[in-house]
Amino acid sequence: MVFKSKIKWVALLVLTLSLGSMVAHLSMTKFSSMNLIQYSAKDALSHDFPNIVSPVIRNKRLWGTVRSLESLQPYANPRNSYPVPNENTNGFIFAKIFGGFEKIRSSICDLVTISRLLNATLVIPEIQESTRSKQISYKFKTFSYLYDEEQFIASLKNDVNIVKSLPEHLKAARRSNEFPIFKPKNSASPNFYIKEILPNLKKAKVVGLIITEGGCLQSILPPSMSEFQRLRCRVAFHALQFRSEIQTLGRQMVERLRAWGQPFLSYHPGLVRDTLAYHGCAELFQDVHTELIQYRRAQMIRQGIVSDELNVDSHLQRENGSCPLMPEEVGLLLRAMGYPSKTIIYLAGSQTFGGQRLLIPLRAMFANLVDRTSLCSKTELSDLVGPETPLPSDIFQLPRPKSESEIKEEWSRAGPRPRPLPPPPERRIYPHEKEGWYGWITETDKEPNPSPRDLRMQAHRLLWDALDYIISVEADAFFPGFNNDGSGWPDFSGLVMGQRLYERASSRTYRPDRKTIAALFDITRGNMYHPKHDWTLSVKEHLNKSLSEEGLIRQLLLSKPNSFLSHPLPECSCRISSLELTKQTEGKDGRVLYGDEHECPIWMQSAEAVGVRNDDVESAEDDNDVVEQQERNGPDFTTSLTSTIDHDEEWDPNG
């Protein structure tokens, strides 16, 4: 009995101590929870880059300009006789543009060029991504949802007659489809418009165009039409200005990035479902994303867009350079170049196919990976969208369960016996398993039509892409994950690279050859996070060449046949006097595509010559960089990246 009573007292003591410990821990949690701070990219940037009063010293090997391209300057003014358009035109051209941000921008430039070619009055085109959306803001029309109408008309008054709408006596005829409508291809020649469209325009006085492929005029025009090429540049780089709210917020985002006193790099993954399906890159993804790409590829085959087989070897496509660089690979390339882990990287692109899961390795390598949601508040983004009619918050509805009588009736109408046994009871489907743009694939083989919420999101993506475009053009460096994919459609990265080339050709714009990069990764596939020094030097050599004339010319030969705005040379640039002779590059038809730029006017020569000489001196001093000399001559250089970039032990997956 005495032994049992002692056990009771010990148990009571242990219980009392446990209760006291629990109370103490709960009290500590209550008082300490006030100090818990949720992670945010702004706080991370503030921690990594405190405000520094002293001037920022940039590493020119990572952020410096490209000397070989310093002599190229923007000059899209008319060079020859260029009369102002006559008010008495041949008629009106109205157009509907289908597609995303890059297709809209490229199509508008082609429309203006065609209107000048046909001496027609252009009606402000309709952007269908905003028209199809349900109950978007009443403040904006289709064109003004993205661009400034007044600026567009005023900037092109010496080029094309532009009106906001058709005259009143023609509107009724348009509503009843009395005017001829054409659907030109993106590679249509000028002769097509002169022989096919112009007679109809003169006869009916109004012609409609439906543009779905991101353009309606071939990229490379004859040398005699160089003024039309310069008109394209004036439209894309001067007349197409975003509406004031977008420009204001975009400038604020750039200022917030620069407020930390450090340069930043913009990266656009280019992971778009249509382009991935076009090239058959499904096997680079997993689970439902592979099925979604294959489903879209099957659609393209039925529509005649793709003439290849449904199932292709995605890894072979990747080796050919037809598939994108994955975010993990881009992170490794940037680290091999020497960018430290605290580098500020802006993630452009309104949608990345594959979601945030694909970005985890890149975020592990670069903690300061930010996007528009990191730099803007929800209020700022909602103000940009404008007042909208709210959609139902809970749009998901479970299918109505079948009654027992319905099940029996369905079983009795199932056909002659023998019949298979009825399927087992289905597991309950929860809302979180069906919500989202890919939930349909779990129940049906047919993709549903876009819901009102989907259509509204597509319209919003135009605004997010506009913000990303502003920041990517202004960034200190730009890295494309997927451009010039060979589909013939304009792409976001290509347009950004073209505008950076036009505004400042010497800006740090990487133009990697995906085929070469794939071969480099195959070499070090088993040791990706700790590659050998020779591999790192090979990456640096390739990426540095991609910045210079060599990479520009290679990209020019590939991209210009598909998109003039990606490489607006030599028509839209001039070259200041330079001691260096530039080798001319000819296309397949013998036409000079690079090196035949006109000499800049005298007023531009005097303004730029001093800057070029100063940059040459600074670059010469930078060649003596101690780190670079150690990389070239250091006999004890280790076989990892630890000497060129700050090493993180968490990189090693086997460590």
Side-chain angles (χ1 to χ4, degrees):
M1 295 294 296
V2 176
F3 179 72
K4 290 183 179 180
S5 62
K6 288 183 179 180
I7 292 178
K8 290 181 180 179
W9 281 107
V10 171
L12 181 62
L13 179 61
V14 171
L15 183 61
T16 304
L17 292 175
S18 301
L19 182 62
S21 176
M22 184 181 299
V23 172
H25 280 81
L26 290 175
S27 301
M28 292 174 62
T29 303
K30 179 179 179 180
F31 290 107
S32 62
S33 62
M34 300 297 292
N35 298 325
L36 294 177
I37 302 176
Q38 187 176 3
Y39 172 81
S40 68
K42 287 186 177 180
D43 297 333
L45 287 171
S46 179
H47 177 269
D48 288 343
F49 305 112
N51 292 330
I52 301 174
V53 180
S54 59
V56 179
I57 301 177
R58 294 192 177 194
N59 185 339
K60 292 186 177 61
R61 292 187 299 107
L62 300 178
W63 305 106
T65 58
V66 183
R67 282 185 296 169
S68 60
L69 301 177
E70 288 280 2
S71 59
L72 287 174
Q73 301 298 324
Y75 190 54
N77 296 344
R79 316 284 171 83
N80 304 317
S81 176
Y82 195 78
V84 177
N86 193 342
E87 293 184 0
N88 297 323
T89 61
N90 292 323
F92 295 88
I93 293 179
F94 70 89
K96 295 183 178 181
I97 303 175
F98 291 83
F101 175 86
E102 54 278 353
K103 289 187 176 181
I104 293 170
R105 194 172 184 86
S106 180
S107 299
I108 293 174
C109 297
D110 287 353
L111 278 173
V112 174
T113 307
I114 291 167
S115 299
R116 174 78 186 192
L117 176 66
L118 302 181
N119 187 28
T121 298
L122 176 64
V123 181
I124 292 288
E126 296 180 3
I127 298 175
Q128 296 303 300
E129 287 297 321
S130 58
T131 303
R132 295 168 59 209
S133 179
K134 304 299 181 182
Q135 301 170 338
I136 63 170
S137 177
Y138 59 85
K139 292 176 59 178
F140 314 108
K141 298 179 182 178
T142 61
F143 187 87
S144 62
Y145 187 73
L146 191 58
Y147 294 110
D148 187 339
E149 281 188 358
E150 301 298 334
Q151 167 70 19
F152 181 70
I153 296 174
S155 297
L156 298 173
K157 64 181 180 180
N158 294 327
D159 297 293
V160 179
N161 290 323
I162 303 176
V163 295
K164 293 185 178 180
S165 62
L166 285 171
E168 291 296 330
H169 66 281
L170 296 176
K171 288 183 179 179
R174 180 190 171 181
R175 285 192 291 267
S176 58
N177 295 325
E178 297 180 10
F179 300 128
I181 297 177
F182 298 88
K183 188 177 179 181
K185 297 182 178 180
N186 63 346
S187 58
S189 66
N191 290 333
F192 167 78
Y193 291 95
I194 294 174
K195 295 180 180 180
E196 300 291 336
I197 306 294
L198 185 57
N200 288 276
L201 178 64
K202 290 181 177 180
K203 181 179 179 180
K205 295 302 179 182
V206 180
V207 165
L209 299 179
I210 297 178
I211 306 175
T212 60
E213 299 182 1
C216 51
L217 185 63
Q218 66 186 40
S219 174
I220 301 179
L221 298 177
S224 60
M225 301 184 67
S226 58
E227 289 299 341
F228 290 92
Q229 297 287 59
R230 279 187 275 274
L231 175 57
R232 275 173 160 172
C233 294
R234 291 196 294 276
V235 178
F237 308 137
H238 298 282
L240 275 181
Q241 300 293 328
F242 301 114
R243 58 180 166 92
S244 58
E245 297 88 350
I246 299 176
Q247 291 192 56
T248 301
L249 184 56
R251 286 193 294 265
Q252 290 177 355
M253 294 170 67
V254 174
E255 291 173 359
R256 290 167 187 171
L257 285 167
R258 298 204 184 281
W260 305 110
Q262 299 291 330
F264 70 94
L265 179 143
S266 178
Y267 160 58
H268 185 265
L271 296 171
V272 182
R273 183 185 174 197
D274 282 356
T275 53
L276 292 168
Y278 182 89
H279 293 288
C281 302
E283 295 175 4
L284 301 183
F285 296 82
Q286 295 178 354
D287 305 330
V288 70
H289 296 95
T290 299
E291 298 181 45
L292 286 166
I293 294 174
Q294 288 295 86
Y295 180 87
R296 181 65 182 128
R297 184 172 174 83
Q299 281 184 322
M300 290 182 170
I301 292 174
R302 288 194 297 268
Q303 296 169 1
I305 300 174
V306 176
S307 58
D308 203 353
E309 298 292 334
L310 175 62
N311 297 311
V312 295
D313 189 345
S314 298
H315 298 285
L316 182 59
Q317 293 291 89
R318 172 187 164 275
E319 293 176 359
N320 292 334
S322 299
C323 289
L325 297 174
M326 304 304 282
E328 178 185 15
E329 296 175 331
V330 172
L332 292 171
L333 293 174
L334 295 178
R335 294 302 298 265
M337 277 294 293
Y339 288 96
S341 60
K342 293 183 179 181
T343 300
I344 303 175
I345 298 180
Y346 182 83
L347 181 67
S350 58
Q351 184 182 20
T352 299
F353 187 81
Q356 293 294 320
R357 182 179 62 177
L358 288 182
L359 300 174
I360 292 176
L362 182 61
R363 291 187 185 276
M365 287 181 269
F366 294 94
N368 295 323
L369 182 67
V370 299
D371 56 15
R372 66 179 182 280
T373 60
S374 307
L375 301 176
C376 302
S377 64
K378 292 183 178 179
T379 303
E380 290 175 324
L381 295 177
S382 62
D383 290 344
L384 186 67
V385 170
E388 293 181 331
T389 304
L391 295 173
S393 57
D394 185 16
I395 61 173
F396 173 78
Q397 295 181 353
L398 288 170
R400 184 182 65 85
K402 297 179 181 179
S403 64
E404 186 175 354
S405 60
E406 290 176 334
I407 295 176
K408 290 181 178 179
E409 183 180 357
E410 183 178 350
W411 174 252
S412 62
R413 292 187 287 102
R417 290 174 173 80
R419 295 194 298 263
L421 294 175
E426 295 184 352
R427 181 180 65 85
R428 179 184 177 186
I429 300 175
Y430 296 93
H432 72 272
E433 296 178 305
K434 293 293 305 231
E435 290 178 341
W437 58 273
Y438 59 83
W440 57 270
I441 206 168
T442 59
E443 277 204 348
T444 177
D445 293 333
K446 183 178 180 181
E447 186 171 1
N449 294 325
S451 65
R453 185 175 297 274
D454 293 333
L455 294 173
R456 181 172 290 186
M457 288 178 61
Q458 291 175 10
H460 290 176
R461 290 192 189 106
L462 298 179
L463 305 179
W464 312 150
D465 282 335
L467 292 176
D468 294 345
Y469 190 85
I470 293 173
I471 295 177
S472 298
V473 171
E474 295 292 330
D476 298 279
F478 178 74
F479 197 102
F482 200 29
N483 71 297
N484 184 34
D485 56 14
S487 63
W489 303 322
D491 59 87
F492 184 93
S493 293
L495 295 183
V496 169
M497 295 164 72
Q499 182 149 353
R500 288 172 66 90
L501 177 62
Y502 171 78
E503 292 185 355
R504 192 182 182 193
S506 60
S507 60
R508 203 168 188 86
T509 304
Y510 290 96
R511 305 173 185 90
D513 183 353
R514 293 189 298 275
K515 185 175 182 179
T516 302
I517 294 297
L520 286 172
F521 274 115
D522 288 341
I523 294 174
T524 186
R525 181 61 59 184
N527 200 22
M528 289 179 61
Y529 283 88
H530 297 283
K532 295 182 179 180
H533 179 52
D534 292 341
W535 185 88
T536 304
L537 290 181
S538 298
V539 170
K540 286 185 177 181
E541 181 183 5
H542 173 72
L543 292 181
N544 283 327
K545 285 182 178 179
S546 74
L547 294 167
S548 61
E549 284 186 329
E550 182 176 335
L552 176 62
I553 292 173
R554 183 190 63 82
Q555 197 71 19
L556 174 69
L557 296 173
L558 293 174
S559 296
K560 189 165 182 177
N562 296 324
S563 174
F564 172 76
L565 296 179
S566 298
H567 289 275
L569 299 178
E571 294 89 347
C572 299
S573 295
C574 63
R575 194 178 292 274
I576 63 174
S577 299
S578 176
L579 297 177
E580 299 179 2
L581 297 178
T582 302
K583 183 179 178 182
Q584 294 184 352
T585 301
E586 296 182 354
K588 295 181 179 180
D589 56 357
R591 189 180 310 162
V592 177
L593 300 180
Y594 178 76
D596 192 31
E597 296 79 15
H598 293 179
E599 188 173 347
C600 292
I602 298 176
W603 61 269
M604 292 183 66
Q605 298 268 5
S606 58
E608 297 292 339
V610 176
V612 173
R613 286 196 295 269
N614 291 339
D615 289 340
D616 288 342
V617 174
E618 292 178 0
S619 300
E621 293 175 355
D622 187 56
D623 289 341
N624 296 324
D625 191 282
V626 176
V627 178
E628 189 71 14
Q629 291 294 334
Q630 289 178 352
E631 290 181 353
R632 293 179 180 176
N633 304 322
D636 298 327
F637 196 94
T638 59
T639 59
S640 66
L641 296 178
T642 55
S643 296
T644 55
I645 52 180
D646 46 341
H647 180 66
D648 188 354
E649 291 298 337
E650 294 182 0
W651 278 22
D652 189 0
N654 300 319

